[in-house]
């Protein structure tokens, strides 16, 4: 099964670290307002989801969401959440860590795109 969002080993390690410090968390793909287009990590419930937010999937047992308008830009791609050295976005839980989350993407093949669209 093709997934819309996946995480690298480095990102999964950072997710585990943040969960160990904060408990249940969630991700929201930022649309570029204040922090650029980065995956934002929040304590579950601290970020209020709206009617235009879409659940993309789960990474490291953590739900991942995106706004419908931002999804339109990414709908032809698989989001790959990675982690790299440096501080994260100031509103995100990774902002105080030595690593931060970044979003990479891979364009779906025609077959993959057909498969993921069956889910939406």
């Amino acid at each position: 099964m093709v997934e819309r969002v996946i995480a690298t080993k480095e990102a999964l390690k950072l997710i585990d670290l943040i969960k160990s410090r904060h408990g249940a968390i969630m991700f929201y793909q930022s649309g570029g307002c204040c922090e650029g287009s980065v995956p934002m990590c929040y304590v579950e419930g601290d970020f209020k989801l709206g009617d235009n937010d879409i659940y993309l999937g789960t990474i490291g047992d953590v739900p991942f969401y995106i706004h419908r308008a931002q999804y339109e830009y990414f709908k032809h791609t698989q989001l790959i959440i990675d982690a790299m050295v440096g501080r994260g976005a100031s509103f995100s839980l990774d902002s105080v860590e030595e690593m931060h989350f970044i979003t990479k993407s891979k364009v779906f093949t025609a077959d993959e795109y057909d498969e993921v669209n069956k889910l939406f």
Side-chain angles (χ1 to χ4, degrees), residues 49-100:
L49 296 169
D51 292 340
N52 284 312
D53 294 317
I54 297 171
Y55 170 77
L56 278 189
T58 303
I59 55 173
D61 296 322
V62 175
F64 194 102
Y65 300 90
I66 190 170
H67 190 276
R68 187 173 307 280
Q70 186 74 354
Y71 170 76
E72 287 301 312
Y73 291 108
F74 287 111
K75 69 182 178 182
H76 295 95
T77 66
Q78 180 180 58
L79 298 186
I80 303 162
I81 307 307
D82 200 359
M84 60 186 300
V85 175
R87 287 192 66 186
S90 59
F91 299 116
S92 184
L93 292 174
D94 59 339
S95 66
V96 296
E97 303 299 336
E98 294 178 12
M99 300 284 289
H100 68 280

Side-chain angles (χ1 to χ4, degrees), residues 2-6 29 56 66 70-80 103-109 112-113 116-117 120:
V2 178
E3 298 180 55
R4 288 205 166 268
V5 60
I6 61 173
Q29 178 63 45
L56 278 189
I66 190 170
Q70 186 74 354
Y71 170 76
E72 287 301 312
Y73 291 108
F74 287 111
K75 69 182 178 182
H76 295 95
T77 66
Q78 180 180 58
L79 298 186
I80 303 162
T103 301
K104 299 177 181 180
S105 62
K106 175 189 86 68
V107 176
F108 287 125
T109 65
E112 289 172 332
Y113 188 65
V116 296
N117 276 323
F120 276 77

